[in-house]
Amino acid sequence: MSFLSLALRACAAALIITTPVLAQQALAPAVGGAAGGRAQVTVNWVGDAPPLATGVSWGVPWPQGAVPKSQAFALTGPDGKALPVQTWPLAFWPDGSLKFSGFATVAQAAGPYVISAASEAAPAAPAPALSVQQGDGFVDINTGATKVRVGTRGTDLIQTIFVDGREVARAGRLVGLVQQGPDPEEGAMPARQAFASTIDKFTIEQRGPVRAVIKVEGKHKLAKGGRAWLPFSLRLYFYAGDAAIHVVHTFIYDGNQQKDFIRGLGLRFTVPMREEVYNRHVAFSGRDGGLWMESLQPGDLNADLRQVAGQKIEGGRFYGVKEKEQLAIWNDYKLVQPSPNGFNIVKRTGAKSTWVFSDAGTHASGLAFVGDVSGGLGVSVKDFWQSFPTAFDVRNAAGKAAELTAWLWSPEAPAMDMRHYATRAYGLSATYEDVQEGMSQAYGVARTSAFTLYPSASVPARAQLAAMAKAGSARALLAASPAYLQSAKVFGVWSPVDRSTPARATIEDRLDSVLAFYRRQQHERHWYGFWTYGDVMHSYNFKRHVWNYDHGGFAWDSTELGSVLWLWTSYLRSGSPEVFRMAEAMARNTSETNVYHLGPMKGLGSRHNVVKWGDGSKEARISQAAHWRPFYYLTTDERIGDVMRDQLESDKGMVKFDPMRLAQPVLPQDPKYPGRIRIGPDWYVLAGNWMTEWERSGDPKWRDRINAGVDSILQMPYWLRSGVLNGLNPDLGGRIGPLKGRGSMTVGYDPATGKLFPIPDPIAKQQVPVLYNLATIQGGAQVMFELVPLLGREDFAAAWLQFARLGEAPGDVLIKDKTTGTEGADGKYVEKAQGGPRLAAYAYAQTGNPAFAKIAIDNMIRWRGAAPLPLQGPDVLSATTEAIGVSTNDAAQSGLTMIESLALLGDALPHALPPPPQSERRRQSAPAAATKK
């Protein structure tokens, strides 16, 4: 062993000995607790209990070493009785013990529920049992409440649905319309063609006893011409004893955005109609439990109230279809939600007759039902009004079979336009927009939607339909408490909400103020829409009193500076259902619309822009698995699991699209490697992707791939700060000179091995120490907070701690510190940029040195949170609010920094915080005073 290795180990050992107790709790994986298979945890609903019994799946973490991978579990309800439960592993600790488990049951009652090791409480068997039987061209699933035949080839994804021995729906397929060109200003519309789903692949992912998961994959095929496009995946979830079928649908846009305009996209079923027209009913859900329901032949002023309730009647004078004098029979119905603020319901007697306005409202909650008193089908679309333009369409309800279509993109709306917002570039300096020719491409972006199907043997009561709408509009989820999640030592550095001192209460209030402000802005600024719901705007214009929705790279945020991590961490520590819904929506949106899922840029993501995929910068920091891990492990959502696994190909995208190709073009004298990346954020991103796959699969090859990079970094002269200061800077007219910022951690990369290689500075002729401001503020710090203790390498822990302590130290100090491990004890070398305060808090937690704590505390004193001011009158379209000094970059990074500092500082945090510096108070108040004038 070399002298350097010995020094590294001695340094790391000394650091570990001096680590305060709080830091050990915050950073080291927990050991023990539930050892020997005696695991037990309490879970409860996120928000209210569901309004009806529903299948639910959720994830629970375990401390390292606590639960063996073969452990079985039991579940007891709030009444103490055993419930059927299914469990499966989601992730493993490095020692092979369970890190996360997935669970599934059917439940409704208000909690709590208790998960126990099966040795302590025998698991209950579901009654009736869930069965999955595969045949030729189909799979039959029997939940005990419904029998469903799923197709394995052809067009129909769901061939038939039976309840009580009667077929209530059939021919469930994806349908749509493609329009060859944009909507014209005037004149004839471009040609349209219909398409429908065709199945290419079928997988049984789970088959009971409580839950079965069927994944169907394919493409949409045009009815004429045979073109197959828009790859899709459809997961169908079945639960024992539950008639409902949960559906998660994803499609990927693979068209030509200049000419392939989607005019409609939806899920359609055929519903048999057997009863008299006056015993057939259509229903749509409105807002806050409201319901619109009518018979196809509604009664006159003397109508039977049983008919109004959806019950069978015998008819009589004026009813039926053969009476000389009869009440009108309505055949077709539509509910259309063209905007986030309004929907209309219309109906007609037939195709040769006009549509008649029926009713209207603001937010349709997303349920449609069609059927008769012997059976029918309800379809609920999650986030229906938020994802406008949406619609429901019922056709031929007076015939032998109705067609019910849930439109994700309504044909009543303008055609879906995937083009960029401009045909020319406006420039990085003017609009913060990284324009690159041919890169504003939608090819490869995706959209995921969730449905719930409610087959029924009758017309459900009005209250039951309203309950279905409420249940289908939000994910039912059980979750462990923040205290338990933190005790398992997962998801890095954070601690549950704590207001035990005035200082902590102050920071908690400021954190809450920013979250509340963004939740309110989402509503006031209408941050909704098919491609945009869940995302937030990047920055605000205080003179125009609007977010920069139309201003290059200042518009949609797209995970910039860890906004999705901020929301997930805020949920973890609070358990707030409102924050969960916001984090879920942001993760779902940005993981699909800002990520390329096929094509040459697969695995990369698009930087913030007016159009979600419009910016020319395509980087893996936007699409990294670290953003999505809490969503996956807390909900077991298989689709987000697919997205995380796809990130294993992001390094191939990096090689094709060098992240520094414009800012630092390759020089002729540079050594040639398969690719170039930056240590931060790029290698941190890759390490996070591999860490995720390592824990999900338990395969050590992903750990070894991380270690290959670690070994490479430790061989570089300045460890994690190694890089170049000079290069071919485009702003210097083709001359070699200082790069933007303070250099770049650019290194060579071999995707075959994961190894990194030094690239010499063109002036110094060797690697030099650099500080790249993006290194740790794009999720890199959060990845490292988890990865360092997982790897258990003392040498790498010393290198990461050096980075935290000496972010701005000159080269000679860094070299000396490799031996001493004590340089910069006064904190003067801690990074001064946005990522510095959290690194100072980390350094304090590891060393106990109050100089580092002071840096973090001073930053907490300066941060003001959000103080919204009301806006109304002619300066704005509608009454709203704005908060001086708030932008999403600062909200996300400051939010994460405050959360991490609260967890790391422990008793170093003073009992109360002093007022902010006078200069900071002036900065905050001056714009506010100007706004009021």
Side-chain angles (χ1 to χ4, degrees):
M1 184 177 292
S2 67
F3 172 78
L4 177 58
S5 298
L6 286 171
L8 286 173
R9 293 186 180 277
C11 173
L15 292 172
I16 292 171
I17 290 171
T18 60
T19 300
V21 173
L22 179 65
Q24 292 177 356
Q25 292 174 345
L27 299 174
V31 179
R38 299 183 59 82
Q40 187 175 90
V41 60
T42 298
V43 295
N44 214 330
W45 297 107
V46 177
D48 297 332
L52 44 78
T54 187
V56 58
S57 302
W58 73 99
V60 169
W62 307 106
Q64 184 169 354
V67 180
K69 64 172 61 178
S70 60
Q71 181 65 57
F73 297 94
L75 180 69
T76 55
D79 57 2
K81 295 181 180 179
L83 289 171
V85 66
Q86 182 172 320
T87 184
W88 61 98
L90 295 174
F92 305 94
W93 289 103
D95 64 1
S97 62
L98 277 178
K99 185 173 186 179
F100 283 91
S101 296
F103 293 91
T105 193
V106 177
Q108 179 184 4
Y113 295 78
V114 177
I115 300 167
S116 304
S119 58
E120 300 173 20
L130 178 68
S131 69
V132 179
Q133 301 292 329
Q134 190 159 1
D136 183 15
F138 63 87
V139 168
D140 285 339
I141 299 96
N142 187 348
T143 71
T146 186
K147 294 182 179 179
V148 182
R149 176 162 287 183
V150 178
T152 61
R153 57 175 178 258
T155 298
D156 294 346
L157 309 174
I158 297 180
Q159 294 180 358
T160 58
I161 304 175
F162 280 77
V163 179
D164 287 353
R166 293 189 298 276
E167 184 186 50
V168 299
R170 62 174 177 264
R173 67 272 193 201
L174 299 172
V175 295
L177 294 168
V178 62
Q179 177 175 298
Q180 297 303 306
D183 292 345
E185 296 294 330
E186 56 182 272
M189 294 293 292
R192 300 179 187 176
Q193 292 179 288
F195 55 78
S197 49
T198 57
I199 299 170
D200 295 330
K201 185 178 179 181
F202 179 90
T203 308
I204 301 175
E205 295 185 328
Q206 286 189 357
R207 57 191 316 155
V210 173
R211 183 178 95 144
V213 183
I214 309 297
K215 184 180 182 183
V216 184
E217 298 171 87
K219 292 183 178 179
H220 299 77
K221 189 173 182 180
L222 294 178
K224 297 180 181 180
R227 176 191 177 189
W229 72 315
L230 296 184
F232 72 85
S233 68
L234 197 82
R235 279 189 170 90
L236 303 167
Y237 296 84
F238 304 88
Y239 292 84
D242 187 5
I245 305 161
H246 303 268
V247 183
V248 175
H249 162 263
T250 302
F251 82 94
I252 305 175
Y253 184 83
D254 64 341
N256 181 334
Q257 66 196 49
Q258 299 301 322
K259 64 180 183 179
D260 290 323
F261 290 71
I262 296 173
R263 189 60 193 240
L265 187 69
L267 176 63
R268 177 175 293 164
F269 285 89
T270 299
V271 180
M273 305 294 270
R274 292 173 282 262
E275 304 285 344
E276 296 289 347
V277 288
Y278 48 79
N279 281 321
R280 304 179 185 186
H281 295 264
V282 172
F284 300 116
S285 65
R287 180 176 182 175
D288 300 330
L291 189 75
W292 183 97
M293 187 169 79
E294 287 188 356
S295 164
L296 270 59
Q297 193 176 32
D300 58 13
L301 293 177
N302 298 314
D304 192 325
L305 290 178
R306 292 175 298 173
Q307 184 195 44
V308 175
Q311 300 169 12
K312 187 170 184 177
I313 63 171
E314 296 304 321
R317 189 184 180 194
F318 307 138
Y319 283 103
V321 297
K322 298 180 180 178
E323 299 298 327
K324 182 178 180 181
E325 295 183 34
Q326 62 174 310
L327 297 162
I329 299 170
W330 301 91
N331 190 62
D332 304 325
Y333 299 77
K334 290 190 291 189
L335 181 151
V336 181
Q337 179 95 44
S339 81
N341 296 316
F343 67 87
N344 292 326
I345 298 173
V346 296
K347 63 182 183 179
R348 70 182 182 184
T349 58
K352 295 182 179 180
S353 305
T354 186
W355 290 98
V356 175
F357 172 80
S358 178
D359 212 336
T362 53
H363 298 159
S365 57
L367 176 84
F369 172 86
V370 63
D372 58 36
V373 293
S374 65
L377 180 68
V379 179
S380 176
V381 180
K382 185 177 182 293
D383 300 325
F384 180 81
W385 67 266
Q386 297 94 326
S387 301
F388 78 93
T390 47
F392 287 113
D393 195 321
V394 176
R395 299 295 173 102
N396 199 38
K400 292 182 178 180
E403 277 195 340
L404 169 60
T405 307
W407 290 109
L408 298 172
W409 187 278
S410 169
E412 306 284 326
M416 185 188 296
D417 194 337
M418 308 293 280
R419 296 173 296 177
H420 194 45
Y421 77 96
T423 57
R424 52 148 290 177
Y426 294 101
L428 189 63
S429 298
T431 65
Y432 198 31
E433 183 173 32
D434 194 350
V435 180
Q436 298 177 34
E437 184 68 28
M439 299 294 283
S440 298
Q441 290 295 320
Y443 186 94
V445 303
R447 177 60 155 78
T448 289
S449 305
F451 303 84
T452 307
L453 311 179
Y454 291 107
S456 174
S458 62
V459 177
R462 286 174 173 266
Q464 184 74 356
L465 286 167
M468 291 174 181
K470 183 177 181 180
S473 66
R475 179 193 296 265
L477 184 67
L478 290 165
S481 69
Y484 174 80
L485 294 173
Q486 200 278 331
S487 74
K489 306 298 177 268
V490 292
F491 302 128
V493 175
W494 59 277
S495 58
V497 171
D498 177 5
R499 288 186 164 84
S500 60
T501 68
R504 290 184 175 276
T506 295
I507 298 301
E508 297 289 4
D509 289 345
R510 292 173 185 171
L511 287 166
D512 285 351
S513 73
V514 179
L515 290 167
F517 175 68
Y518 273 85
R519 288 201 303 272
R520 184 170 177 177
Q521 288 292 286
Q522 183 179 54
H523 178 69
E524 292 177 348
R525 307 289 182 164
H526 312 294
W527 291 341
Y528 301 111
F530 182 83
W531 286 109
T532 52
Y533 172 59
D535 206 348
V536 300
M537 286 284 162
H538 182 283
S539 56
Y540 189 78
N541 189 312
F542 290 94
K543 293 183 178 179
R544 295 173 63 192
H545 303 297
V546 296
W547 291 83
N548 287 309
Y549 72 95
D550 59 348
H551 201 61
F554 290 108
W556 293 110
D557 186 63
S558 309
T559 78
E560 182 74 355
L561 296 202
S563 54
V564 70
L565 283 170
W566 162 52
L567 291 184
W568 278 121
T569 309
S570 297
Y571 165 71
L572 289 172
R573 62 194 308 269
S574 68
S576 164
E578 293 80 15
V579 176
F580 172 83
R581 306 297 175 204
M582 194 172 181
E584 177 191 34
M586 181 178 283
R588 182 67 86 193
N589 175 267
T590 54
S591 68
E592 301 287 8
T593 67
N594 291 114
V595 175
Y596 289 99
H597 304 272
L598 54 76
M601 292 184 284
K602 182 177 180 180
L604 302 181
S606 291
R607 183 176 169 269
H608 39 93
N609 196 256
V610 169
V611 173
K612 296 280 289 177
W613 44 84
D615 200 86
S617 177
K618 311 298 183 182
E619 297 191 35
R621 61 183 171 89
I622 299 152
S623 56
Q624 61 182 306
H627 290 146
W628 327 127
R629 290 170 69 250
F631 188 15
Y632 176 70
Y633 288 130
L634 295 174
T635 69
T636 78
D637 187 282
E638 280 81 5
R639 171 55 192 167
I640 207 71
D642 291 346
V643 174
M644 293 197 304
R645 192 150 277 155
D646 284 347
Q647 296 314 302
L648 297 175
E649 297 189 39
S650 64
D651 60 344
K652 298 177 183 177
M654 288 182 183
V655 170
K656 292 178 184 176
F657 299 93
D658 183 337
M660 296 297 286
R661 61 189 179 276
L662 296 184
Q664 183 192 347
V666 176
L667 294 169
Q669 65 267 34
D670 286 345
K672 301 302 184 286
Y673 300 110
R676 286 194 319 170
I677 64 174
R678 296 157 295 185
I679 295 175
D682 302 323
W683 183 80
Y684 294 149
V685 165
L686 295 179
N689 296 342
W690 301 331
M691 175 184 73
T692 303
E693 188 63 19
W694 173 28
E695 64 188 3
R696 286 181 69 187
S697 67
D699 190 338
K701 76 176 183 181
W702 301 107
R703 175 205 61 203
D704 296 343
R705 195 170 183 81
I706 297 169
N707 278 326
V710 169
D711 291 339
S712 302
I713 291 168
L714 292 178
Q715 292 171 13
M716 295 179 185
Y718 304 104
W719 287 349
L720 290 165
R721 286 190 52 203
S722 301
V724 297
L725 285 172
N726 302 283
L728 191 61
N729 187 338
D731 294 340
L732 298 178
R735 293 182 290 107
I736 293 175
L739 296 172
K740 288 184 177 180
R742 283 180 278 184
S744 174
M745 300 166 175
T746 310
V747 293
Y749 173 66
D750 180 4
T753 63
K755 292 182 178 181
L756 307 176
F757 304 93
I759 292 177
D761 182 276
I763 295 178
K765 308 302 182 184
Q766 61 183 2
Q767 282 186 309
V768 295
V770 297
L771 174 60
Y772 188 55
N773 69 311
L774 297 182
T776 61
I777 60 175
Q778 306 280 349
Q782 288 71 39
V783 168
M784 295 296 281
F785 286 155
E786 289 201 68
L787 180 60
V788 168
L790 275 179
L791 283 179
R793 290 185 55 162
E794 295 175 352
D795 50 0
F796 191 47
W800 173 240
L801 180 56
Q802 185 196 72
F803 184 89
R805 293 183 295 110
L806 304 179
E808 298 193 355
D812 59 334
V813 173
L814 293 173
I815 295 297
K816 185 177 180 181
D817 187 73
K818 284 185 174 184
T819 302
T820 66
T822 59
E823 304 306 306
D826 57 1
K828 67 180 179 181
Y829 295 128
V830 171
E831 182 183 346
K832 305 300 187 297
Q834 202 165 17
R838 74 160 57 87
L839 297 177
Y842 176 86
Y844 166 74
Q846 292 294 312
T847 66
N849 183 341
F852 297 124
K854 183 179 185 304
I855 295 170
I857 293 167
D858 287 346
N859 179 66
M860 299 175 89
I861 294 170
R862 289 191 298 269
W863 187 60
R864 308 308 299 153
L869 297 168
L871 285 172
Q872 57 186 356
D875 285 342
V876 290
L877 177 63
S878 303
T880 184
T881 54
E882 64 183 12
I884 303 302
V886 173
S887 70
T888 304
N889 272 6
D890 180 72
Q893 277 301 290
S894 293
L896 285 167
T897 295
M898 297 303 143
I899 290 168
E900 289 155 347
S901 296
L902 288 171
L904 292 167
L905 291 175
D907 292 340
L909 189 65
H911 184 71
L913 293 179
Q918 187 67 29
S919 59
E920 182 67 16
R921 292 201 296 272
R922 285 197 300 268
R923 189 187 73 82
Q924 291 290 334
S925 61
T931 302
K932 294 177 181 177
K933 292 181 180 178

